[in-house]
Amino acid sequence: MPELPEVEVARRAIEEHCVGKKITGCSVADDPKVIDSVSRADFESALVGRSIVAALRKGKNLWLRLDSPPFPTFQFGMAGAVYIKGVALTKYRRLAAVNDTDEWPSKYSKVFVKLDDGLEFSFTDKRRFARVRLLDDPESVPPISELGPDALLELMPVDDFVDSLSKKKIAIKTLLLDQSYISGIGNWIVDEVLYQAKLHPLQIASSLSKESCKSLHRCIREVIDKALEVGADSSQFPKDWIFHSREKKSGKAFVNGKKINFITVGGRTSAYVPELQKLTGNQSKEAPKKKSRKARSDVEESESKDDDNNGTSKRSKTTEGVEGRQKKKTSEFKSDSIPSKGTTQKQVKAARGTSKKLSESTRATTRQKKAKI
């Protein structure tokens, strides 16, 4: 999913190639799920004839400041991307020049814009989890108004960071995913910075040593800076990053020869190296449960719903290990119930037989009572 580096590279590309130019044409998709609370006609008429003054970003949100409001804003969701036609070269692969033989604009285009010098760009979204809005003052209303300091532009000073973590009695990964705490950090960035800082994703923030907090602060900066240095092109990320093995199957995922385990933290699939990232203090006796490949897939599919489409993160309150212990509920079979997935025929027959015997016993008891009366 696009996170701060991907959105920032898109912003820089628009800033370099589109700022100062006038919009001469605009086509908006008939997709009310993505185009939020504004009609196609109103959106198009609001952009045509306006000049792009600036391209701005906070967290994973991008917006264009025009010479007069309203301004188009973009939440990238799970698969949002910006494409620019006519740009000869750019590091960000999603912004690579579009060939004459390619479909243009893409059938997944949600907002297509023509500029007065002939340049064209498009915001696309294959998965339809992105949100595009037209706002008079994007920074004053949700979701942008609910975001915490931007991880690139406004990361709190290290001493303030240390002090802040000392007051947070929550798993460190869950905290860093909370966009109201620090904005722009998503799942892959958190996994990477925690791996680089050698911190377990379930470690309670307030239990971290001062040295660990400083290391985490440094790693946040280093990972984001490095990702931006290579234009958010993941193929150029350092080979020793855990990023490259996050999508591999459990049991077959390794980084620098060390095994990677997968658990759920804050409702998100989390990759970590148990040999390096150990729970400390009172949490050292905890043994987080590993996550199967299928379970990881199910979580990944729903992650975007909890990510960009809300200004602040609305994460699951129950997580593996110390963050929360769910009580296992046992299901009772009923004679007319539909068997759950994985239930064997033998179990179903046994359950129905038990239910039938209970029913017959109840009817017999009722007959006895009536006879006495």
Side-chain angles (χ1 to χ4, degrees):
M1 280 186 287
E3 297 184 19
L4 187 155
E6 290 83 358
V7 180
E8 173 62 15
V9 170
R11 186 202 69 77
R12 292 179 182 182
I14 293 175
E15 181 177 65
E16 179 180 355
H17 298 285
C18 305
V19 167
K21 299 176 182 179
K22 180 177 289 188
I23 299 172
T24 58
C26 178
S27 178
V28 177
D30 184 14
D31 188 351
K33 180 180 178 183
V34 176
I35 309 302
D36 190 8
S37 303
V38 59
S39 70
R40 295 174 62 192
D42 288 347
F43 199 112
E44 292 167 354
S45 63
L47 267 62
V48 174
R50 302 287 190 272
S51 294
I52 301 175
V53 176
L56 304 169
R57 179 196 58 78
K58 185 166 186 178
K60 297 177 245 182
N61 294 262
L62 168 71
W63 68 99
L64 304 182
R65 179 179 294 162
L66 309 180
D67 52 8
S68 63
F71 309 134
T73 69
F74 307 88
Q75 270 184 297
F76 281 52
M78 195 170 190
V82 172
Y83 291 84
I84 299 179
K85 187 176 183 180
V87 176
L89 180 65
T90 172
K91 294 179 180 178
Y92 183 29
R93 286 189 292 178
R94 283 179 179 162
L95 292 173
V98 179
N99 297 321
D100 292 336
T101 57
D102 292 343
E103 177 186 27
W104 182 259
S106 164
K107 64 181 179 181
Y108 301 109
S109 176
K110 303 304 175 183
V111 178
F112 171 67
V113 173
K114 293 182 179 181
L115 302 177
D116 56 1
D117 67 345
L119 194 68
E120 300 173 349
F121 70 89
S122 172
F123 178 80
T124 69
D125 179 26
K126 292 183 179 181
R127 302 297 298 275
R128 301 180 68 224
F129 286 122
R131 294 293 180 269
V132 179
R133 303 178 178 92
L134 201 58
L135 302 172
D136 288 333
D137 185 5
E139 294 175 272
S140 69
V141 295
I144 298 173
S145 65
E146 297 176 339
L147 297 175
D150 184 81
L152 174 65
L153 305 174
E154 307 164 320
L155 186 62
M156 63 186 80
V158 64
D159 289 339
D160 293 346
F161 186 66
V162 172
D163 181 63
S164 174
L165 292 182
S166 70
K167 302 172 184 176
K168 303 295 184 180
K169 300 185 183 300
I170 185 174
I172 186 61
K173 174 162 184 176
T174 304
L175 178 63
L176 294 178
L177 284 173
D178 185 350
Q179 299 300 293
S180 68
Y181 182 66
I182 298 175
S183 61
I185 296 179
N187 203 30
W188 80 256
I189 292 181
V190 177
D191 280 357
E192 194 60 56
V193 299
L194 292 178
Y195 168 66
Q196 299 292 338
K198 295 181 173 59
L199 297 176
H200 195 289
L202 283 172
Q203 189 71 45
I204 299 301
S206 61
S207 70
L208 294 174
S209 67
K210 187 175 182 179
E211 291 71 24
S212 292
C213 293
K214 288 183 177 180
S215 175
L216 178 60
H217 188 275
R218 184 186 71 255
C219 289
I220 291 173
R221 285 200 178 280
E222 289 178 350
V223 169
I224 292 175
D225 287 346
K226 184 59 182 178
L228 288 172
E229 182 183 317
V230 298
D233 182 349
S234 60
S235 69
Q236 296 186 50
F237 289 172
K239 299 303 180 184
D240 60 352
W241 277 17
I242 198 173
F243 176 90
H244 299 290
S245 300
R246 293 179 70 253
E247 301 302 321
K248 294 182 180 179
K249 293 182 179 180
S250 181
K252 296 184 178 180
F254 294 85
V255 56
N256 293 328
K258 294 179 172 57
K259 185 179 180 180
I260 298 172
N261 281 354
F262 299 92
I263 55 175
T264 299
V265 183
R268 310 300 295 273
T269 298
S270 306
Y272 76 106
V273 178
E275 185 178 337
L276 301 177
Q277 298 168 260
K278 301 178 183 295
L279 288 168
T280 62
N282 294 333
Q283 295 179 255
S284 60
K285 296 180 181 180
E286 295 287 344
K289 295 181 180 180
K290 295 180 183 178
K291 191 171 185 62
S292 69
R293 179 67 177 177
K294 181 181 184 304
R296 285 167 55 197
S297 176
D298 291 342
V299 172
E300 293 289 349
E301 180 66 23
S302 63
E303 279 180 352
S304 63
K305 296 178 183 178
D306 297 323
D307 196 23
D308 290 312
N309 292 337
N310 295 296
T312 56
S313 301
K314 297 181 179 179
R315 310 291 178 192
S316 168
K317 294 183 180 179
T318 57
T319 58
E320 299 284 353
V322 298
E323 195 181 3
R325 299 176 178 83
Q326 285 184 307
K327 295 182 178 179
K328 294 182 179 179
K329 299 181 179 180
T330 58
S331 59
E332 297 180 355
F333 287 102
K334 297 181 180 181
S335 59
D336 59 346
S337 67
I338 299 174
S340 60
K341 184 177 181 180
T343 303
T344 65
Q345 290 296 321
K346 187 176 181 180
Q347 288 175 311
V348 173
K349 289 179 180 179
R352 288 176 175 171
T354 300
S355 179
K356 184 176 180 180
K357 289 178 181 179
L358 290 172
S359 180
E360 291 174 350
S361 176
T362 301
R363 287 196 294 269
T365 302
T366 302
R367 287 196 296 270
Q368 290 175 359
K369 288 182 179 181
K370 287 182 178 180
K372 290 179 180 181
I373 294 172

